[in-house]
Each structure stands twice: as C-alpha cells, then as structure tokens.
Amino acid sequence: MEKFRIFGGARLAGTVTISGAKNAALPCLAATLLTAEPVYLLGLPRVRDILTMEKVLAILGEHCEHQNGTTTVVMGRATETHAPYELVRTMRASVLVLGPLVAARQRARVALPGGCAIGARPIDFHLAALAQLGADIRLEHGDVVAEAPNGLRGAEITFPKVTVTGTENLLMAASLAVGRTVLRGCAREPEVCDLAAMLQAMGARISGAGTDTIEVEGVGELGGCTHRVIPDRIEAGTYLMAALLLGDGVRIEGCVPAHLAAVLELLAAAGATFTTEEHALVVPRQDRPLSGFSLTTREYPGFPTDLQAQAMALATQAQGRSEVVETIFENRFHHVLELKRLGAEITVEGHRAIVQGPRRLQGTTVMASDLRASAALVLAGLVAEGETIVDRIYHLDRGYEAMEAKLARLGARIARFNPGPFV
Ligand code: UD1
C-alpha cells in the first residue's frame, strides 16, 4: 500500500497549477449518457474517481479516449443499464448515472452505495425526486432499480435538504423529461452551475442554476458538445493553506478565487495576506501567524465541508483558540485523532472541535481515513518536525492530482513509496 514520506519544515515557493474539479468532472462524465453524439471534455483531472467513473461508463457501453488533455466520450452499446456494486462501492458518486440512465434509456440499475467513512450518506432524496418525475423505483438485491418505460414527466420538486449530487442527478433527468420541472432547495455549488452549462451546450433548457430554484424545460434529445470543467476550488484551497503555513511566495495558478470567497474572507479576517486575480491567488510570505478562527461548514456559498479538515491542520499553527463546526456530515472528524498524534491540541464535542494553537507538531506515522482528511495530514506533515509517514494515501489519490509532485515542485520534501505487501 503506497504511503507518503514527508520531512517537515521545508519552505514553499513558486507556482502551483490547479487541476480541473473532480466534483464537476464526475457529473459532466455522467451527463454524456444523455446523448448518442460524441462529447469532448477538457481539463478532467487524472485522479482515481475519474478513472472509476470512466469504468462505470465503459460498463454502460461508452468509450473514453484521452488525447492532449481532451477526453472524448463516445456512445457504443447504449443498452447496458447496470452499474455494479464492485464499482459503486469504491465511489458513491457513481450514483450520478442514475438520473441520466433512467431519462435516456428508461431504466437504471445502480448498486446502492454502502456506508462511508464520513457518515451514512443516504440517497433517499435522489430517489424520492426521481419518483416525482414518474420513475418507478424499487430495491432489488442491493441495487436501486429505476424504470420509466414511457419516459419521465416534468414536476415541481422541493429537496428536503440541499444535496449536491441529488441536484445534479435531477438536472440531468429533467433535461430529457417531458414538460417543465421546477427544482426547489437546490445546491448552488459552482459544480452544479458547471454541469448546467454543459447541459445547455448539449441543448438543454435550464435557468436558475446557481440559485436555489432551477427550472428545466425538457427537450426531446440532447446533442454532443465541447466543455471545459471548472478548476478545483478544494484543491486550490488546500494549496492556499499550505502556502499560509510555509509559503515564501506561492502563486496558485488557474483557479477561480471567487469560488473560494467564504474561505478567503475567513482567512483574511484571521490575518492572512494574499491577493486575488481573476484566475490566480498570490500568497506572499506571512509576516505573522494567523490568529485563531471560527468556522462553520455550510452549503455553498458557505465554508465548504471539503476544506474543513485542512482548515483544522491550519488552526494547529494559529495563535489561540479556533473553533470548527461541521454541519454537513456526521462523523467528519476522523482526522482529529491523527492530528493529535502529531501533537495538535484538539477537543471534540459532537459536531464542534476546539483547536488550541500554535502547537509544535512532531512527525510520526498517521493513517488517512478519507480524501480530505488525507490532505489535512499532508499539511500537518509539511509543518511537523522530522519525518511523517502518511499511510493509506489511496484516499488522497481519489481526488488530488499528483499532489506530491506539485508540492515537491514548490520545495516540499515529500515522496511516495511502496513498502511492499507485508508492511
Ligand atoms: C457532494 C460532494 C462532496 C461534498 C458534499 C457536500 C461530489 C461528487 N461530492 O457530495 O465532495 O462533501 O457534496 O458539499 O460532488 N443527504 C441525505 N439524503 C440524500 C442526499 C444527501 O440525507 O439523498 C445528506 C447527506 O448525508 C449529507 C447532506 O445531505 O448530510 C449533504 O450531502 P450531499 O450534498 O448530497 O453530498 P454529496 O452530493 O454526496
């Protein structure tokens, strides 16, 4: 099992270029199921979740070809409708094929994703909303089966709670439904807007993406398109925190700072200095440590839960008390115990963690438990004295493209190694 070895304390300087957003790329890949024409997707990150989605599409009869940064998705056998458990269990977001399959092929069979490390994460809102579009939904041998032999029909749907992939699934399904769909309580994430932009380029009629009410006028068919996915705001936010911890002048290139507004506002209030350009964040060496800060994770445009763990690593080096409240997921504090093993002082009460900083971190072996927790451990390892081994980095590989190479180019002392099967 591969690990990272990090020697902490190295200063970071130079330019890091942000990859395309995994969470935009996944629904965009799923949306290719809605058309028989080729789709050209630009800027997909080369991370494991994308490879998994491409495998799911291959099972569903599509081919993905890669050339010069463009992924071409071509429909082959458009008859398969079953996304099996072997793939879905490795990536919950496989559930994004449910909406497009039932809309375009009148039938979908998708294994029910199992529990995952950051809470129960059910898909009941996806299913209830698809049922409102007229899909017949049932559970068979651990798979969700959705059928609409006569096609889907537009409806007025209110999500009981904001769900990102739920909103995306419904946007895709409603694009091919007969008549008008009004979706209320929608996620407003930039990734939802990106999917809407791609669907519009395919011929869908969508208005209101980026607000909590989205209207979709169904069309008879969708065509191919060329679409570039937006940059990964979570990756950009992670490098921003690395630069605040250890930077001697870091330029984070190819990101959209506007997508990080809540994060930038909070960090600026804690004393961080940086400048923003339309597509870059420039972080000079910090004159003094940040002061402790309070953050509460919220749906976009609030502070993203996907940066909560990394912010906690940052808080270990801030002056005084920080408070981190997680409201989106239960059980998203697995990184706390590992950060404590490195020397952080953190107490957790329910959904609230209190971090006392600054604390001297000392390298040891730590275990990654999920994608974003892994990034937090890497940040802590970059700061810690001596050697830190981050185990189970396959979590990190799901969503960060070439993280060790990007950090090493900035001057970090980090390497991937494989100790062999028995270690
Ligand atoms: C997406 C992101 C993930 C991010 C999360 C929240 C992708 C591929 N993943 O995940 O990185 O952390 O948004 O920003 O885009 N819920 C239900 N029933 C449902 C759906 C959701 O109870 O049917 C609950 C979840 O358990 C969670 C909350 O709603 O507590 C929000 O989850 P949701 O927005 O759906 O997260 P994902 O779309 O899975």
Side-chain angles (χ1 to χ4, degrees):
M1 211 178 283
E2 293 189 331
K3 308 174 197 249
F4 278 165
R5 175 179 284 120
I6 304 172
F7 289 98
R11 304 293 304 178
L12 307 179
T15 297
V16 58
T17 303
I18 297 308
S19 302
K22 166 183 89 72
N23 285 356
L26 289 171
C28 289
L29 278 167
T32 63
L33 291 165
L34 293 164
T35 178
E37 293 179 12
V39 173
Y40 305 95
L41 290 171
L42 278 64
L44 299 192
R46 300 315 293 159
V47 295
R48 230 197 38 241
D49 274 7
I50 298 301
L51 301 180
T52 305
M53 185 56 98
E54 290 180 358
K55 281 188 199 160
V56 173
L57 293 183
I59 285 180
L60 300 173
E62 293 197 312
H63 309 290
C64 297
E65 289 156 23
H66 307 282
Q67 212 170 18
N68 305 329
T70 300
T71 301
T72 306
V73 188
V74 187
M75 183 78 81
R77 296 166 289 116
T79 48
E80 274 306 327
T81 53
H82 183 191
Y85 184 64
E86 293 72 60
L87 287 172
V88 177
R89 83 187 165 90
T90 65
M91 186 183 70
R92 270 191 91 257
S94 313
V95 76
L96 281 165
V97 301
L98 193 58
L101 278 180
V102 69
R105 304 186 187 177
Q106 287 75 53
R107 184 184 154 83
R109 184 180 189 110
V110 177
L112 202 57
C116 86
I118 58 172
R121 298 183 83 175
I123 56 163
D124 49 338
F125 304 153
H126 303 230
L127 301 182
L130 286 171
Q132 280 183 267
L133 291 185
D136 174 37
I137 311 251
R138 58 185 190 276
L139 191 66
E140 260 180 30
H141 303 288
D143 295 336
V144 172
V145 179
E147 283 176 332
N150 302 315
L152 298 172
R153 300 211 153 261
E156 302 225 351
I157 295 167
T158 301
F159 290 106
K161 184 176 175 188
V162 172
T163 160
V164 177
T165 48
T167 303
E168 292 164 347
N169 239 333
L170 267 288
L171 259 186
M172 293 187 275
S175 292
L176 284 183
V178 176
R180 182 162 161 272
T181 297
V182 181
L183 300 171
R184 296 202 174 82
C186 292
R188 293 180 282 165
E189 267 67 1
E191 293 75 17
V192 172
C193 298
D194 196 45
L195 171 66
M198 171 175 164
L199 292 170
Q200 281 166 330
M202 293 168 77
R205 294 173 56 194
I206 297 171
S207 61
T211 73
D212 62 2
T213 304
I214 305 181
E215 294 195 16
V216 186
E217 197 66 54
V219 295
E221 62 177 28
L222 293 170
C225 73
T226 300
H227 178 75
R228 176 178 289 280
V229 299
I230 55 171
D232 197 312
R233 63 195 165 100
I234 305 303
E235 189 195 22
T238 304
Y239 287 108
L240 167 63
M241 293 182 195
L244 291 174
L245 286 166
L246 289 153
D248 270 339
V250 174
R251 184 178 170 84
I252 302 165
E253 183 71 43
C255 60
V256 180
H259 290 166
L260 282 166
V263 177
L264 298 181
E265 196 182 312
L266 182 125
L267 294 174
T273 54
F274 50 80
T275 50
T276 58
E277 298 173 10
E278 196 182 349
H279 292 294
L281 265 167
V282 185
V283 191
R285 186 187 173 104
Q286 305 295 297
D287 295 335
R288 53 196 166 84
L290 298 188
S291 17
F293 49 84
S294 287
L295 75 85
T296 301
T297 61
R298 299 262 183 234
E299 295 87 3
Y300 191 84
F303 194 100
T305 175
D306 286 351
L307 280 173
Q308 179 257 104
Q310 301 89 319
M312 209 184 283
L314 184 63
T316 66
Q317 302 307 301
Q319 290 281 349
R321 181 179 187 273
S322 293
E323 186 184 65
V324 176
V325 181
E326 173 60 55
T327 70
I328 306 294
F329 292 112
E330 26 171 329
N331 289 337
R332 209 178 193 180
F333 281 149
H334 288 295
H335 42 284
V336 168
L337 279 178
E338 300 302 293
L339 289 173
K340 285 172 81 160
R341 296 192 59 249
L342 289 164
E345 189 180 328
I346 306 174
T347 48
V348 173
E349 267 174 43
H351 290 283
R352 181 184 312 266
I354 305 295
V355 187
Q356 287 293 342
R359 288 291 177 272
R360 211 176 105 206
L361 302 187
Q362 292 181 311
T364 183
T365 297
V366 285
M367 192 91 85
S369 55
D370 67 60
L371 168 56
R372 307 303 171 184
S374 328
L377 297 179
V378 171
L379 291 180
L382 291 174
V383 174
E385 288 170 19
E387 181 184 277
T388 296
I389 304 290
V390 183
D391 200 350
R392 303 203 174 161
I393 54 168
Y394 57 84
H395 289 294
L396 196 121
D397 290 334
R398 288 186 44 204
Y400 283 90
E401 184 171 80
M403 190 185 216
E404 74 278 27
K406 290 188 186 191
L407 282 169
R409 226 171 288 138
L410 290 175
R413 289 188 292 165
I414 178 169
R416 178 184 294 260
F417 70 105
N418 190 337
F422 301 112
V423 183

